[in-house]
Amino acid sequence: MEPVFPFALELPTRGQGRRTQALHRQLREAILDGRYPAGAPLPATRQVAAALGVARNTVVTAYDLLMAEGYVLPRRGATAVVADLAARRPARGTPRAPGRDATRISPSWRTAPFLGPSAPADLPPRSFRVGVPEHRHFPHDTWRRLSARSLRAWAKAPFTYPPTEGLPELREAIAQHVAFSRAVVCTRDDVIVTSGAQQAFDLLARLLVTPGETRVAVEEPGYPRLRAAFAAAGARQVPVPVDDEGLRVDRLPGDVRVVSVTPSHQSPTGVALSLSRRRALLDFARARDAVVIEDDYDGEFRFAARPLDALQTLDRDARVFYVGTFSKSLFPGVRIGFVIAPRWARDALLAIKQCSDAHCDAVAQATLAAFIRDGHLARHVRRMRPIYAERRTALLAGLRRHLADWLEPIPSEAGLHLAARVLQPEHAATLFATARHYAPGVQSITEYSLTPPEQPALSFGYGVMEAEEITSALRRWGGALARR
Amino acid sequence: MEPVFPFALELPTRGQGRRTQALHRQLREAILDGRYPAGAPLPATRQVAAALGVARNTVVTAYDLLMAEGYVLPRRGATAVVADLAARRPARGTPRAPGRDATRISPSWRTAPFLGPSAPADLPPRSFRVGVPEHRHFPHDTWRRLSARSLRAWAKAPFTYPPTEGLPELREAIAQHVAFSRAVVCTRDDVIVTSGAQQAFDLLARLLVTPGETRVAVEEPGYPRLRAAFAAAGARQVPVPVDDEGLRVDRLPGDVRVVSVTPSHQSPTGVALSLSRRRALLDFARARDAVVIEDDYDGEFRFAARPLDALQTLDRDARVFYVGTFSKSLFPGVRIGFVIAPRWARDALLAIKQCSDAHCDAVAQATLAAFIRDGHLARHVRRMRPIYAERRTALLAGLRRHLADWLEPIPSEAGLHLAARVLQPEHAATLFATARHYAPGVQSITEYSLTPPEQPALSFGYGVMEAEEITSALRRWGGALARR
């Protein structure tokens, strides 16, 4: 067998679906770790099929998946080429330190961590991109006025270094906000202000992981950048599957010391962790002396009749770290998140924050404190909830009306995105390939998975597209699929 | 011998000075690592002297030093007690996680890192505190106007996540600024925007250290928070002494892979690294395949006739990481610093930044970019230089006129602080104790030292006190000392 790729492949001897998955996964891995370099042309599908002894359609489908995910670029009238991931996603390429230079880099960082999906450069501003909120209804004038007010107050006092844990007025405002909106039990002394939720994950990983030892349960599929932070800290990660009730708590190995979970709105499937699972998770933590990281990244936007309590609210045993962020409820550029930490962990967390970056931007903190205290955050969330609800309804209706033969929505009652299962796995490649044109920004949940999922699914963000835009995009997509 | 402290002490059998030092150091360590808990009363000096078989004056001097440094609080009409460092300095206390809780914390963080001096809560706003710039001459109105302009532009575009490496316009502005002000050789693609210099240290420590292996040379005395970041990454730190020409390059062990240095203005002694030492350091790095971290935290303010080139300017071999910050040239609350990194390290550094906190505050970045591009930073530095120069002159003159019997200024030609050696070590305790009243904010360089320095010294910040205030404070202090 003549080698058609610059690395070895191992495919199962039978099963077209399994061969497609294996080929897709192995090519993706080779692209990610740099064995298959940017710009390299992909051999013709006919040639690969012959060399590997598989059906040509197996190769075509694997190529389509790679194109849909952006790992491979189609070239009009010529062969496809491996995409330059490093150029498009700075943190994703393998560090290209040559020879001796590479040995200066700590082994943890010699190969690029998997950071999951990021937006391609050519994504239109109005798209199904996951995790971006609407800017058109944000009270920009109010924010600007409060920012100017903070700067005027700032100008009157001598310069100081803000406290590591965050400005007292912001911690007070956050404590009241989460008590009111999420029934989280805390005072301002339990709040540590962080540079977004990502820094909270990094601080917690450094706090809780003994490198090479600590086993950490992560959701599968789950948020890649939380995993990246835990991988960097030397955690041994254990992927635990997610179903329609959220994390399969019954599948947690007994020796995990940390369980990370998105109970309000699973990332990326969107399901909520059921109340019985919440109780089971806290029971597990107590029985096994584990701690829980509750990542509540967009839980402000809930559409269900009855909200589920936060895990932190149910915790009687100082085991839950509640992580929040203002990237979704306000905007992604404001780099402010927070951890509500059990008392026993506070001093060590502050020491890590001190070593990491000492403190967060003082003016942004003061502005946000005033924004929350004066009721603007609550008002903005109240105003946005029906807007997002309308978009979500349009998305669900459009999926049911135009894509019912292809996709099945996964139940979800919160947040800014919704996922849908591909009904017939052999349709996945077609869906992914056409999504690039008809539903730009839509993500495959393989981008959140450590192993290829049993059932492919797509995740739709509805943060920045209006209801009519969503409806018409899905109508056009459904029409195009029906004509194939 | 009856135990007078709740832990063992080992004192040299002779030499009053050495015994004082040993007693002071061991008590300080016990306080820092929590063996001597907050609130514990210190036994009477007479009792300690008898129990340890030393002169009473030895104990009195050690106690005075601890009081001057804030580790011990005097109680009027009663015994002194161990200060509550955790309350005063959140990141400094030993994490007080009880029993089983403590085992959940990673071993790296179970005891508090040494973070060096921080300002006591009762420090007056006008003080000799090191590292704080003047707020009264800052163009607050301009900053507020540019901030509003950035927010207006921001309001017009859909929300996005800013790039991990920093906004392109800010990287462009920083590249031009350091090229002009410090002759640093770079383009915007070499700049990575960080959350202050502290984050740059943390990213570099994570990049360059293989835990438990990599030997890192740090200045002794030197900046404790850089050391804390390297300790957290698992570096084996090698303290290398500093003299009047800066780091003793001839004392670098051959096996260090990283050398961290403050060449413009040594932290804390204020000396500049001489040109011959700069060349020797780069020769060392080339010969030993080491890299250099150049921490240029306040190098914008230079008072010498001829500036010394940055190490980065002299580097022909992609070995120097240049770290800068706007905490001194602008204000500490703006959480923006930067690294100018060799190309081979860029991708890995960005991956670490991505895992750490993804990106910095977008509005602050846009505001700073406009502030630099429109010439306001250069103008502000130009305006502040003579103001700080006048204060520095007043400080030098006051030391020579009023404290010549006690202190000898250490040569320094840049920055916002100046250090002075204690001429007779037996005066150190008196100086430290009276400084609390007459020169609040003054720091002992023992706070920057891993081992007690051979010759004690004090560091005076002149960022926030006017020339006349400096003169009158030193006059009153000198008068009080003369009357003793």
Side-chain angles (χ1 to χ4, degrees), chain B residues 132-199:
Chain B
V132 183
E134 178 59 78
H135 82 291
R136 285 168 294 184
H137 300 276
F138 185 76
H140 290 284
D141 291 346
T142 303
W143 185 268
R144 197 163 58 241
R145 182 169 53 76
L146 295 176
S147 167
R149 200 167 80 186
S150 303
L151 282 168
R152 265 192 299 271
W154 184 251
K156 284 185 194 132
F159 289 142
T160 54
Y161 287 84
T164 299
E165 62 269 35
L167 295 186
E169 62 265 36
L170 178 58
R171 289 183 290 113
E172 181 74 42
I174 288 173
Q176 290 184 5
H177 167 66
V178 294
F180 178 77
S181 71
R182 305 291 294 117
V184 166
V185 186
C186 67
T187 73
R188 75 176 187 186
D189 291 337
D190 303 310
V191 178
I192 296 171
V193 176
T194 59
S195 181
Q198 186 63 36
Q199 186 179 53

Side-chain angles (χ1 to χ4, degrees), chain A residues 143 146-155 157-171 193-195 334-336 353 357-371 373, chain B residues 140 143 147 195-196 327 330-336 360-365:
Chain A
W143 185 268
L146 295 176
S147 168
R149 198 167 83 187
S150 302
L151 282 168
R152 266 192 299 272
W154 184 252
F159 289 142
T160 52
Y161 287 84
T164 298
E165 62 271 33
L167 296 186
E169 61 265 36
L170 179 58
R171 289 184 289 113
V193 176
T194 59
S195 181
V334 66
R335 203 64 201 131
I336 300 187
K353 168 78 179 161
D357 68 350
H359 58 81
C360 292
D361 185 281
V363 175
Q365 287 189 69
T367 305
L368 177 56
F371 192 85
R373 197 187 49 226
Chain B
H140 290 284
W143 185 268
S147 167
S195 181
S327 297
L330 293 177
F331 53 88
V334 66
R335 201 65 201 131
I336 300 186
C360 293
D361 185 283
V363 175
Q365 287 190 68

